[in-house]
Amino acid sequence: MAIRIAGIGTALPEKVVTNDDLAQHMDTSDTWIRERSGIGERRVGGTTSTMAIEAAQKALDAAGATPAEIGLVVLCTTTPDQTFPATSAAVCEALDLTCGAFDLNAVCAGFPYGFITAYGIMCAPGGPDKVLLIGSDAMSSIVDWTDRGTAILFGDGAGAVVMEKHEQGELLSFDLGVNGSLQSILYCDLGDTIKMEGREVFKRAVRAVTASVQAALDDAGISADEVDVVLPHQANIRIIDAMCKRIKIPMEKTYNVLEFTGNTSGASIPLAMARAQELGALEPGKIVLMTGFGAGMAWGTAVVRW
Ligand code: COA
């Protein structure tokens, strides 16, 4: 069975919040935020459902697919519009879909988890031919805008892909994991805001993402040299750089948007994917690595032949 990504769509709220904007009401600076994270600005506004719907519609258009062809909707989010129903139900309403649909919460590792899940369901007997996989997060709704340790990092956005059965495109390996003993270093209680031990998350994230990427590459029998495109979770450019140094993949192979979006959690990998596509990096046959990590601490990596 071969499955490819047939179309990519993105959605970002219009409102831009720059580092200088943040520095007006908290003790920080553009220079500090850029040096420590690589982030220059983020988008704020919109809800998880509105951004998801916009990105999904664009992905359908890019794939030349109609909503009626979609057999499953998977929405990766950690900021659902409500506790229930699942926000994917709002996507189905907007697109006039009645297929299976659910939300998936693996926080910043959501997109690889969603990709593997969707892939597995497509491969099951009678599995759908086309799936809408979306990452959408309104992180600004759970940020404490007075906490300089977290407010500088997060933003809102969505990215969606249409996955379809096709002779081109293949999952070569994956690695998923969670270390639940690290829940306390990054969490958000119901109705509350994000709490984070930044330095500890940084250290653990580098270790987790490096080990996950290495495990997935080993499992696929692919060397670091053979990787063409890396689509890393967009949390901090220094985490991406540290992972690349350890795996020995040049930074030039990574595609990043965090300078303009900040950390958009479940949306960050499809946003990076859209960037890679814009730059012409996603040619059929290329070896593409997606890797995410975040609260849990959860991680997920997928190695695909595009
Ligand atoms: N502006 C200016 N100074 C700040 C600041 C800010 N926004 N935030 C912290 N500082 C200060 C600290 O108080 C500290 O000062 P001190 O040395 O006088 O005590 C100094 O800067 C260094 O703080 P530290 O926390 O060690 O900085 P850091 O280099 O670890 O960078 C993060 C902080 C949050 C950017 C970084 O730890 C990080 O990105 N961690 C991972 C977070 C993440 O990715 N979370 C999501 C995972 S999905």
Side-chain angles (χ1 to χ4, degrees):
M1 168 89 61
I3 290 169
R4 71 166 181 172
I5 288 178
I8 309 171
T10 62
L12 291 170
E14 270 174 33
K15 186 176 177 197
V16 177
V17 176
T18 64
N19 293 341
D20 286 331
D21 292 336
L22 293 178
Q24 283 178 12
H25 62 89
M26 60 177 64
D27 183 14
T28 190
S29 67
D30 180 55
T31 310
W32 193 95
I33 300 171
R34 283 181 190 273
E35 277 178 11
R36 299 296 176 116
S37 70
I39 295 165
E41 59 188 44
R42 69 285 297 143
R43 301 295 189 96
V44 168
T47 63
T48 294
S49 61
T50 54
M51 294 186 292
I53 291 161
E54 185 185 335
Q57 188 59 63
K58 288 183 186 165
L60 286 166
D61 293 345
T66 62
E69 293 172 74
I70 296 298
L72 179 73
V73 176
V74 182
L75 173 56
C76 310
T77 187
T78 189
T79 52
D81 285 8
Q82 300 161 270
T83 301
F84 70 82
T87 304
S88 52
V91 175
C92 286
E93 185 195 13
L95 298 177
D96 200 19
L97 286 170
T98 54
C99 59
F102 60 94
D103 289 5
L104 183 155
N105 183 357
V107 203
C108 297
F111 198 79
Y113 269 81
F115 183 77
I116 303 305
T117 304
Y119 204 99
I121 293 175
M122 292 174 84
C123 291
D129 291 339
K130 287 192 172 75
V131 169
L132 201 44
L133 170 64
I134 310 164
S136 182
D137 267 309
M139 298 304 280
S140 68
S141 64
I142 53 167
V143 161
D144 174 353
W145 289 101
T146 64
D147 173 18
R148 69 176 184 170
T150 52
I152 59 160
L153 295 176
F154 296 96
D156 302 343
V161 299
V162 173
M163 296 169 65
E164 75 173 6
K165 291 180 184 168
H166 196 271
E167 61 272 14
Q168 165 218 330
E170 180 185 7
L171 175 65
L172 300 175
S173 68
F174 68 93
D175 176 71
L176 301 176
V178 63
N179 179 350
S181 72
L182 296 177
Q183 291 174 79
S184 64
I185 63 173
L186 177 55
Y187 65 94
C188 180
D189 284 328
L190 286 174
D192 203 358
T193 51
I194 299 170
K195 304 286 182 287
M196 183 177 79
E197 291 173 34
R199 221 175 296 184
E200 191 62 15
V201 170
F202 189 99
K203 205 170 69 187
R204 298 288 191 160
V206 170
R207 268 189 232 162
V209 75
T210 303
S212 181
V213 166
Q214 195 59 62
L217 288 177
D218 289 350
D219 198 33
I222 299 267
S223 71
D225 288 350
E226 291 173 280
V227 174
D228 297 304
V229 172
V230 182
L231 307 175
H233 170 47
Q234 303 288 296
N236 185 319
I237 201 70
R238 292 189 299 131
I239 295 178
I240 297 169
D241 187 50
M243 181 269 285
C244 283
K245 286 205 170 76
R246 284 168 166 76
I247 303 285
K248 299 195 168 52
I249 294 180
M251 269 299 270
E252 293 69 45
K253 289 186 177 177
T254 67
Y255 289 81
N256 301 301
V257 294
L258 61 83
E259 185 182 354
F260 305 103
T261 63
N263 179 348
T264 55
S265 193
S268 83
I269 292 176
L271 288 172
M273 188 185 288
R275 176 85 184 128
Q277 196 188 43
E278 263 169 38
L279 295 172
L282 296 175
E283 295 288 321
K286 295 279 185 201
I287 302 293
V288 179
L289 187 109
M290 303 176 219
T291 188
F293 51 87
M297 171 168 265
W299 57 86
T301 301
V303 182
V304 303
R305 194 187 310 280
W306 203 260

